Amino acid sequence: MPSSVPTFAELLGSASRSAVHLEMRDSYAVDNEKARFAEWRAGHRLDPADRSSWWRPWLDLISETVERGVVVRRARIVSEPVSEYIRFEHSGTFTNVAAGEQVRWLPRRQASSIALPGNDFWLIDGRLIRWNHFTGEGASAGGEISENPTEAKLCAQAFETVWARGIPHDEYKID
């Protein structure tokens, strides 16, 4: 295992075919989202027509990755009714889609029969895993890199099963 975890720019820059991301928590408390979440809670909503107000470096990275021919997909397993945080995520996911990412949502009750890894992850080209670790409160606890073929196979199978059962973002409605 490498001694350091590559940045997301390095990770996605290394992708030649695919980058898939599985999220399984109902709440995250990562530093770079705290201000946007607080604004959303106060009633601010992103205006899809005002791209300059919501476009950010992460979306540039996704867009550049997709433009190189890499398929970027994200699947989210969520409890229903959804948490306030998932409402926030859902309301802003159009930005990911605008950057070229494909996103699907899977209600947790429909995931019961899927063998899932214990942590969220990115899987690059079906072989390189970036495990995303979080504290119990949802703060980032760092990442870890693995090229273990058994773990990569588990991640690939889990992701593809979630993806097949998932609901495309534009069809997943939150009450």
Side-chain angles (χ1 to χ4, degrees):
M1 183 179 336
S3 60
S4 65
V5 176
T7 65
F8 281 106
E10 293 167 336
L11 186 69
L12 292 175
S14 74
S16 62
R17 297 180 321 278
S18 65
V20 300
H21 183 39
L22 183 61
E23 296 179 346
M24 299 181 281
R25 296 180 57 93
D26 287 319
S27 182
Y28 295 86
V30 292
D31 290 339
N32 66 352
E33 287 184 337
K34 286 181 181 177
R36 287 193 312 269
F37 186 37
E39 291 169 0
W40 181 88
R41 290 177 94 187
H44 178 266
R45 298 297 183 264
L46 299 177
D47 177 359
D50 185 10
R51 185 178 176 120
S52 65
S53 71
W54 49 261
W55 196 264
R56 55 192 191 280
W58 173 254
L59 299 172
D60 283 331
L61 177 58
I62 294 298
S63 181
E64 292 162 7
T65 302
V66 170
E67 287 172 5
R68 288 195 344 267
V70 177
V71 176
V72 180
R73 296 182 293 160
R74 178 186 309 252
R76 293 176 170 142
I77 299 173
V78 296
S79 299
E80 292 180 321
V82 299
S83 67
E84 181 182 37
Y85 180 85
I86 293 300
R87 288 180 184 283
F88 158 70
E89 267 195 336
H90 187 270
S91 76
T93 296
F94 76 87
T95 66
N96 300 74
V97 173
E101 193 173 340
Q102 300 171 45
V103 180
R104 291 191 181 176
W105 302 81
L106 181 65
R108 191 170 309 280
R109 286 181 179 270
Q110 296 176 27
S112 296
S113 63
I114 303 171
L116 296 167
N119 294 290
D120 290 10
F121 63 85
W122 279 91
L123 179 63
I124 305 300
D125 293 332
R127 60 165 192 78
L128 177 66
I129 306 160
R130 184 197 194 276
W131 297 111
N132 294 333
H133 298 294
F134 296 93
T135 68
E137 297 298 322
S140 176
E144 180 182 349
I145 295 295
S146 173
E147 291 185 271
N148 179 302
T150 303
E151 294 173 5
K153 183 178 178 181
L154 171 64
C155 289
Q157 289 174 336
F159 184 87
E160 292 305 330
T161 303
V162 169
W163 189 258
R165 294 182 189 181
I167 302 164
H169 174 69
D170 61 347
E171 297 173 23
Y172 185 66
K173 305 303 178 202
I174 294 179
D175 297 328

